[in-house]
Amino acid sequence: MQAGAQHALGKSENNGGFFMYDVIILGAGVSGCAVARELSRYQGRFCVLEREEDVCCGTSKANSGIVHAGFDAEPGSMKAKMNLEGNRKMKELSEELDIPFQQNGSLIVCTGEEQRENLEALLERGQKNGVEGLQILEREELLKMEPNLSDQAIAALYAPTGGIVCPFELTIALAENACRNGVEFRFRTEVQSIEKLERGFRVTTSQGIFETRAVVNAAGVYADVFHNMVSEKKIHITPRKGEYQLLDKTAGNHVHCTVFALPGKYGKGVLVTPTVHGNLLVGPTALDIEDKEGTNTTREGLDTVAAKSAETVKNVPLRRVITSFAGLRAHEDGDDFILGEPADAAGFFDCAGIESPGLTSAPAIGRYLAEQAAKYLKLPENSAFCPERTGIRRPSELEFEQRKELIRKEPAYGRIICRCEGISEGEILDAIHRPLGARSLDGIKRRTRAGMGRCQAGFCSPKVMELLVRECGMEWEQLSKSGGDSWLICGKNKDGIDGGENSGQEG
């Protein structure tokens, strides 16, 4: 198991209780990692338990990457409050964590006069929520901004504070900074049950039993399962599947703002947006399903993406699609974020029902829950907390002379491994050896973009695999695409079990 810990596992004494940790966080998605980072501002023993082999392997990895302005949520709701605060924190956070962020603005397009009343209501709602700079633009002005808007577009709500961020890089950066500040991460550790104790909780996992004074439940679509183990007031989460199509960078300038349709019953609908790395992203659909692992794409879903996107943006060049994917949003029946302690489970802090605008809200959610937990446990501040994190060095972003000097000192930065994205061996080595370093092909991909280009890892995979074997001291049969049983090499896996004919498939 990849450790990623900054200290050895131990126990601490408090008020007669005998605990391994002050706080255990369930789940290493963007919300769990944001809570972990904010908790590291305090003195204590904190641990993140994650069933997958890395951070950002669930809801957070299949995400639009939109920093929502905050005009859509019901005024007074936790969604509205966290969205606005998260949006306002994102620029400073991106600078502290050294991740890309662009405030490209959002357009919510009205395609008929019968919709104008809804557009004006959305403007009023956004103003009640405190969103700054909102205005309704008419067609002539819109086309100056976005020439490829649909011929049916007659007006749009413009939100200049909307933006885009990379969901992988945000989540990984939060986790790395938390780790640097003393938070322990335990991967491949699946939580099986939670039991209330006289003081705290016992958490039984696939890797043993842990005890803790408090729990933060950031388990995505499984957050209801864990909540319902400790509280009589039950909650219910429905997995809401969204399918996406990602287009090549040659399509990246088709729109400049993030273009939405007017929101409907199931959320903000299919959007068309540039990404911070220059691609074009189209999606998601919204389909409620029962399967909490149902992340398959479908022909029907992808056809819906194509049809719905055409209602707001014309001539989307879908022939340039390089990959399709699906993710699940954790929709709670109450249609709002559930944050904080149930009345009958003191010390158990829910972070449940985190669907859109969850990514935007994560910085605010992290601060909100960390402060609650620290107050509950009476934790002192950590004077050694460092909010800054330096990302992977990118030779492609340097001036020519700077790049030449870097390669002279470290030749690995001059050996290109991924031709599509221009990723060097040096960047991959950095991804492996950083805090919580990558141990799979997808781990490398999310940190460096090696394998995210037009050929979708067809060229660079063998070399990346070679580097993982060499640098991590693992056997070839231990290599996986994304952890679990997603073995890449036929033969015997790490447990000595024959991989067989399906050993190259993702589990």
Side-chain angles (χ1 to χ4, degrees), residues 220-221 224 235-241 266 287-292 328-333 353 355:
V221 293
D224 57 345
I235 65 174
H236 177 255
I237 287 175
T238 300
R240 182 165 287 174
K241 183 163 76 170
Y266 292 100
L287 177 67
D288 288 348
I289 62 175
E290 295 183 3
D291 183 5
K292 291 180 184 283
L328 301 177
R329 287 102 85 185
H331 177 73
E332 208 282 322
D333 292 352
E355 56 183 339

Side-chain angles (χ1 to χ4, degrees), residues 162-190:
I164 50 178
V165 71
C166 175
F168 313 129
E169 292 188 56
L170 174 58
T171 306
I172 290 166
L174 289 165
E176 287 183 359
N177 188 241
C179 184
R180 284 288 194 193
N181 283 296
V183 178
E184 182 177 344
F185 285 73
R186 288 181 169 265
F187 298 112
R188 304 188 185 97
T189 304
E190 183 171 4

Side-chain angles (χ1 to χ4, degrees), residues 26-322:
L26 312 182
V30 68
S31 296
C33 291
V35 173
R37 178 182 187 254
E38 292 301 322
L39 267 176
S40 70
R41 295 178 185 271
Y42 300 92
Q43 295 179 39
R45 299 184 59 80
F46 313 123
C47 180
V48 179
L49 302 181
E50 169 57 50
R51 69 171 186 162
E52 303 294 344
E53 58 91 30
D54 200 357
V55 302
C56 200
C57 287
T59 297
S60 301
K61 76 174 181 180
N63 189 285
S64 305
I66 306 304
V67 178
H68 293 283
F71 49 78
D72 184 42
E74 184 69 29
S77 66
M78 291 304 292
K79 282 185 179 180
K81 176 179 171 61
M82 296 294 122
N83 187 160
L84 188 65
E85 290 184 12
N87 177 286
R88 290 174 175 173
K89 288 177 182 289
M90 197 61 72
K91 185 177 188 300
E92 179 184 2
L93 184 66
S94 69
E95 292 170 353
E96 288 181 341
L97 299 180
D98 193 20
I99 60 170
F101 165 63
Q102 296 174 24
Q103 202 163 50
N104 64 320
S106 302
L107 289 172
I108 303 83
V109 175
C110 171
T111 56
E113 287 296 337
E114 71 282 0
Q115 295 181 340
R116 189 177 285 274
E117 183 178 345
N118 294 336
L119 193 69
E120 292 171 350
L122 199 62
L123 169 63
E124 183 179 351
R125 173 176 289 193
Q127 291 171 337
K128 285 182 179 179
N129 287 340
V131 181
E132 298 173 354
L134 292 174
Q135 57 179 312
I136 291 178
L137 304 179
E138 300 300 326
R139 178 173 175 79
E140 183 177 348
E141 193 170 1
L142 282 177
L143 292 181
K144 293 178 182 177
M145 295 176 63
E146 296 289 356
N148 288 318
L149 286 183
S150 162
D151 292 338
Q152 285 71 49
I154 63 168
L157 177 63
Y158 176 51
T161 59
I164 50 178
V165 71
C166 175
F168 313 129
E169 292 188 56
L170 174 58
T171 306
I172 290 166
L174 289 165
E176 287 183 359
N177 188 241
C179 184
R180 284 288 194 193
N181 283 296
V183 178
E184 182 177 344
F185 285 73
R186 288 181 169 265
F187 298 112
R188 304 188 185 97
T189 304
E190 183 171 4
V191 176
Q192 298 165 338
S193 66
I194 302 175
E195 176 188 356
K196 285 194 289 187
L197 304 175
E198 183 178 352
R199 295 187 182 91
F201 300 86
R202 178 178 292 118
V203 182
T204 301
T205 78
S206 59
Q207 299 294 329
I209 297 174
F210 302 84
E211 291 185 4
T212 179
R213 300 169 65 199
V215 171
V216 174
N217 173 26
V221 293
Y222 289 96
D224 57 345
V225 175
F226 300 125
H227 167 99
N228 294 341
M229 288 180 181
V230 301
S231 176
E232 291 302 316
K233 184 180 179 182
K234 307 303 181 185
I235 65 174
H236 177 255
I237 287 175
T238 300
R240 182 165 287 174
K241 183 163 76 170
E243 300 182 46
Y244 294 86
Q245 292 185 303
L246 182 70
L247 281 64
D248 186 66
K249 291 181 178 180
T250 56
N253 290 324
H254 196 72
V255 295
H256 300 91
C257 294
T258 299
V259 180
F260 296 94
L262 276 167
K265 177 182 178 182
Y266 292 100
K268 301 176 180 67
V270 171
L271 59 86
V272 182
T273 184
T275 72
V276 290
H277 296 293
N279 297 86
L280 190 73
L281 182 66
V282 186
T285 55
L287 177 67
D288 288 348
I289 62 175
E290 295 183 3
D291 183 5
K292 291 180 184 283
E293 303 294 328
T295 56
N296 60 304
T297 57
T298 64
R299 179 72 270 164
E300 181 181 12
L302 298 179
D303 285 346
T304 299
V305 168
K308 291 293 185 182
S309 63
E311 293 177 5
T312 55
V313 179
K314 64 183 179 182
N315 302 324
V316 176
L318 293 176
R319 286 185 174 273
R320 301 182 199 173
V321 169
I322 58 175

Side-chain angles (χ1 to χ4, degrees), residues 9 33 41 111 140 144 183 249 275 308 375 412 442 445 455 476 480 484-485 490 500 502:
L9 180 63
C33 291
R41 295 178 185 271
T111 56
E140 183 177 348
K144 293 178 182 177
V183 178
K249 291 181 178 180
T275 72
K308 291 293 185 182
K375 181 178 180 180
D442 279 0
K445 179 171 70 174
C455 84
W476 283 92
S480 71
D485 295 328
C490 292
N502 293 322

